[in-house]
């Protein structure tokens, strides 16, 4: 999947937002011409999937024109190209008509009324009803678990009303650099009880949860936890080591980043690459290759799963500021040998 970030504007101000380097700091929108360049760049790799993301993508003044363009591209192909749209759902009603004409999958990040206020939440619910009517089985709802005291009951009301059976969720990573230097206990250990409480509620309601980012650490689960996780009808990535692949996000200025979590570490121009496959390989060699060898937490030192490259120790953002030093250290070492 490669995402095009079409705008940095957002109509919400979520306290946990990962994209704080960009969102609402600048009013930058991608130009329509650059959107087309980014689209054709992704299409050079026929197997790659496309995501449209923001900020809140529906706030781009030319969002409708972009959708019409994608619909036109679809009409030219034998197979409709699937496009994933990430949205908070609050303004999506304006575009249901044209979205219905293409091959879109919607990922709706649902926030609690306590976070976004009753008015926006009511709009979200109204729009979910519209989406459910028009995009049966082609949408998924998600929740960001950002605090152990946050409200999550509302997501189960949504899942119940729309008879949904899956829930996407992310364990958020602190969005300020100085708060990323956490111990394993602070970053994950303290969240376990809350996370498993949400899982328990999923289990009771016949919902299969799956992780988007920042998979919970397997070293903090015990045989009882594993037994419980295995009771889910669909296990998706629930029982997986905490690792991830370069997603690739293309920014409005046509620079590419590995993913939001690594946005402040490295940006490169898509013009310097043949296609997204080459770009992905570049990020793997320049970021993942080194990052996965850096122990995220004290407990990771000497851990076999880290040495085998199975576990990254959670989101790479926890150690983004240590990668460059380690990379230089490796390069100097190999120059000497
Ligand atoms: S690398 Fe770290 S986080 Fe991953 S399993 Fe080992 S100790 Fe746990
Ligand atoms: S490093 Fe991995 S977990 Fe973190 S934001 Fe990027 S893709 Fe997600």
């Amino acid at each position: 999947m490669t995402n095009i970030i079409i705008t940095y504007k957002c109509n919400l101000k979520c306290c946990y937002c990962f994209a704080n380097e960009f969102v609402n700091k600048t009013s930058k929108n991608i130009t329509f011409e650059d959107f087309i360049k980014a689209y054709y760049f992704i299409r050079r790799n026929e197997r790659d999937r496309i995501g449209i993301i923001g900020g809140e993508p529906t706030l781009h003044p030319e969002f409708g024109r972009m959708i019409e363009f994608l619909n036109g591209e679809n009409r030219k192909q034998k197979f409709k190209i699937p496009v994933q749209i990430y949205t908070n759902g609050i303004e999506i009603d304006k575009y249901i008509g044209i979205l219905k004409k293409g091959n879109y999958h919607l990922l709706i990040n649902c926030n609690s009324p306590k976070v976004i206020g009753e008015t926006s939440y009511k709009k979200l619910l109204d729009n979910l009803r519209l989406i459910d009517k028009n995009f049966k089985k082609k949408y998924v709802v998600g929740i960001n678990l950002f605090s152990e005291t946050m409200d999550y009951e509302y997501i189960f009301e949504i899942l119940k009303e729309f008879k949904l059976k899956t829930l996407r969720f992310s364990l958020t990573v602190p969005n300020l650099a100085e708060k990323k230097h956490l111990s394993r206990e602070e970053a994950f250990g303290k969240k376990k009880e809350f996370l498993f409480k949400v899982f328990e509620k999923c289990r009771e309601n016949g919902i299969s949860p799956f992780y988007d980012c920042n998979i919970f650490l397997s070293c903090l689960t015990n045989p009882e936890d594993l037994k419980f996780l295995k009771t889910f009808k669909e296990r998706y990535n629930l029982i997986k080591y905490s690792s991830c692949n370069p997603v690739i996000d293309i920014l409005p200025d046509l620079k590419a980043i590995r993913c939001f979590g690594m946005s402040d570490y490295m940006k490169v121009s898509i013009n310097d690459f043949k296609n997204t496959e080459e770009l992905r390989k570049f990020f793997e060699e320049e970021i993942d290759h080194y990052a996965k060898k850096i122990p995220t937490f004290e407990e990771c030192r000497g851990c076999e799963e880290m040495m085998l490259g199975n576990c990254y120790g959670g989101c790479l953002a926890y150690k983004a500021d240590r990668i460059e030093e380690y990379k230089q250290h490796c390069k100097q070492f190999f120059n000497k040998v």
Side-chain angles (χ1 to χ4, degrees), residues 54-243:
E56 171 49 42
T58 55
L59 297 187
H60 192 294
E62 293 190 285
F63 181 71
R65 191 178 171 202
M66 290 170 190
I67 297 301
E68 296 283 17
F69 164 79
L70 294 172
N71 291 351
E73 284 296 297
N74 258 334
R75 286 192 290 272
K76 291 188 211 156
Q77 318 285 331
K78 273 194 202 142
F79 304 105
K80 286 188 170 183
I81 308 151
V83 175
Q84 177 128 294
I85 298 182
Y86 298 78
T87 173
N88 59 33
I90 293 169
E91 296 295 329
I92 198 86
D93 49 315
K94 296 181 185 139
Y95 301 103
I96 296 285
I98 49 171
L99 286 168
K100 264 169 67 178
K101 294 182 190 157
N103 187 15
Y104 300 96
H105 187 272
L106 305 181
L107 204 152
I108 304 125
N109 184 32
C110 300
N111 285 288
S112 155
K114 290 183 184 151
V115 172
I116 62 175
E118 290 295 340
T119 312
S120 293
Y121 188 69
K122 185 181 171 305
K123 184 88 194 292
L124 167 67
L125 286 183
D126 289 344
N127 284 349
L128 281 170
R129 287 174 194 126
L130 263 180
I131 290 166
D132 189 64
K133 200 166 139 208
N134 291 285
F135 289 85
K136 275 268 175 242
K137 298 202 172 105
K138 287 185 71 183
Y139 75 99
V140 65
V141 295
I143 181 170
N144 288 300
L145 300 183
F146 63 89
S147 138
E148 293 92 79
T149 52
M150 68 175 270
D151 166 37
Y152 60 85
E153 291 299 329
Y154 74 97
I155 198 74
F156 289 96
E157 285 163 21
I158 289 176
L159 291 160
K160 189 172 171 199
E161 175 172 346
F162 300 107
K163 299 186 176 59
L164 300 173
K165 292 290 166 210
T166 51
L167 173 63
R168 166 193 180 266
F169 68 91
S170 267
L171 286 175
T172 60
V173 173
N175 52 15
L176 296 171
E178 64 272 22
K179 288 197 177 160
K180 286 179 190 160
H181 297 168
L182 302 172
S183 67
R184 185 177 68 165
E185 179 56 22
E186 285 164 334
F188 287 94
K190 280 187 184 165
K191 291 181 183 156
K192 182 177 168 182
E193 195 185 325
F194 175 70
L195 180 66
F196 275 72
K197 214 156 64 177
V198 182
F199 283 160
E200 192 70 59
K201 181 104 187 174
C202 286
R203 186 75 191 82
E204 281 166 28
N205 289 278
I207 308 295
S208 297
F210 67 94
Y211 291 104
D212 173 42
C213 266
N214 206 17
I215 293 177
F216 192 75
L217 307 179
S218 53
C219 55
L220 290 175
T221 53
N222 58 37
E224 275 302 299
D225 300 328
L226 286 179
K227 205 168 141 191
F228 167 70
L229 294 176
K230 284 181 184 167
T231 60
F232 282 98
K233 193 167 169 222
E234 301 285 351
R235 273 178 236 149
Y236 299 110
N237 55 2
L238 279 188
I239 306 173
K240 182 182 177 288
Y241 288 111
S242 196
S243 66

Side-chain angles (χ1 to χ4, degrees), residues 18 173 212-214 244-245 247 258-262 314-317:
F18 212 133
V173 173
D212 173 42
C213 266
N214 206 17
C244 56
N245 298 317
V247 181
R258 181 195 184 276
C259 55
F260 260 130
M262 296 303 286
C315 177
L316 298 183

Side-chain angles (χ1 to χ4, degrees), residues 38-46 48 50 73 77 81:
Y39 169 81
Y40 284 127
F41 177 72
I42 301 171
R43 292 292 297 143
R44 284 186 211 162
N45 175 4
E46 286 192 350
D48 208 356
I50 301 170
E73 284 296 297
Q77 318 285 331
I81 308 151

